[in-house]
Amino acid sequence: MSILAADKVKLNVKVTDKYEAIRLVGQMLVDAGHVPAEYIGKMIEREDDLSTYLGEGLALPHGTSDSKHMVQSTGMSIAIVPDGIDFGAGEPAYLVIGIAASGHEHMEILTNVAELVSDENTMKQILDADTPEKLIEIFEQGMQA
């Protein structure tokens, strides 16, 4: 099972609030078999405790520390929100990445994604990707570097 696949990527998403965005990326993780449906509640609980907005248009919703046992396999889901969505930091998130990972993989994914999108050109390529496959290609190249 791949950490990222076309069925876990949604482009041109319209959501009304950050919770709808979290449920969307969470449901993709559920549908792919990475986590049970209860994990989505833990993602929302995590967001209520501390925003998962990291700046530069990026939000990385994930579960709480006590939900790691729910993770059946490591996975990532992506939603591109062209109009942006407020994650409470005063700046909109355009890239929402759901993460389900346990142990060291969790921090490794967070670090890789943060490094990847910190480059303005790469972030622009991600947001401008016109197919899930193109977006996945950008992530795979960037996360291997």
Side-chain angles (χ1 to χ4, degrees), residues 56 58 95 112-120 123 126 139:
E56 305 303 319
L58 171 66
L95 176 60
N112 285 335
V113 169
E115 286 177 8
L116 178 68
V117 302
S118 67
D119 180 81
E120 282 184 38
M123 183 66 158
I126 290 167
F139 268 84

Side-chain angles (χ1 to χ4, degrees), residues 3 29 34-35 39 43 61-63 71-77 98-102 105-106 109:
I3 184 173
L29 294 171
H34 295 294
V35 292
Y39 187 79
M43 293 173 80
H62 53 281
V71 177
Q72 295 156 357
S73 60
T74 297
M76 210 165 80
S77 58
I99 296 176
S102 57
E105 290 179 317
H106 179 81
I109 291 171

Side-chain angles (χ1 to χ4, degrees), residues 53-124:
Y53 181 78
L54 298 184
E56 305 303 319
L58 171 66
L60 283 168
H62 53 281
T64 58
S65 296
D66 68 348
S67 65
K68 288 185 186 211
H69 71 281
M70 295 180 179
V71 177
Q72 295 156 357
S73 60
T74 297
M76 210 165 80
S77 58
I78 299 176
I80 303 293
V81 185
D83 295 335
I85 192 71
D86 181 11
F87 264 72
E91 297 176 48
Y94 301 100
L95 176 60
V96 181
I97 302 176
I99 296 176
S102 57
H104 70 282
E105 290 179 317
H106 179 81
M107 287 309 296
E108 188 176 311
I109 291 171
L110 288 174
T111 301
N112 285 335
V113 169
E115 286 177 8
L116 178 68
V117 302
S118 67
D119 180 81
E120 282 184 38
N121 291 330
T122 304
M123 183 66 158
K124 181 169 176 20

Side-chain angles (χ1 to χ4, degrees), residues 22 25-26 29 39-47 61-63 98:
I22 293 168
V25 294
L29 294 171
Y39 187 79
I40 297 172
K42 292 296 187 177
M43 293 173 80
I44 290 170
E45 184 181 318
R46 168 72 173 84
E47 185 65 34
H62 53 281

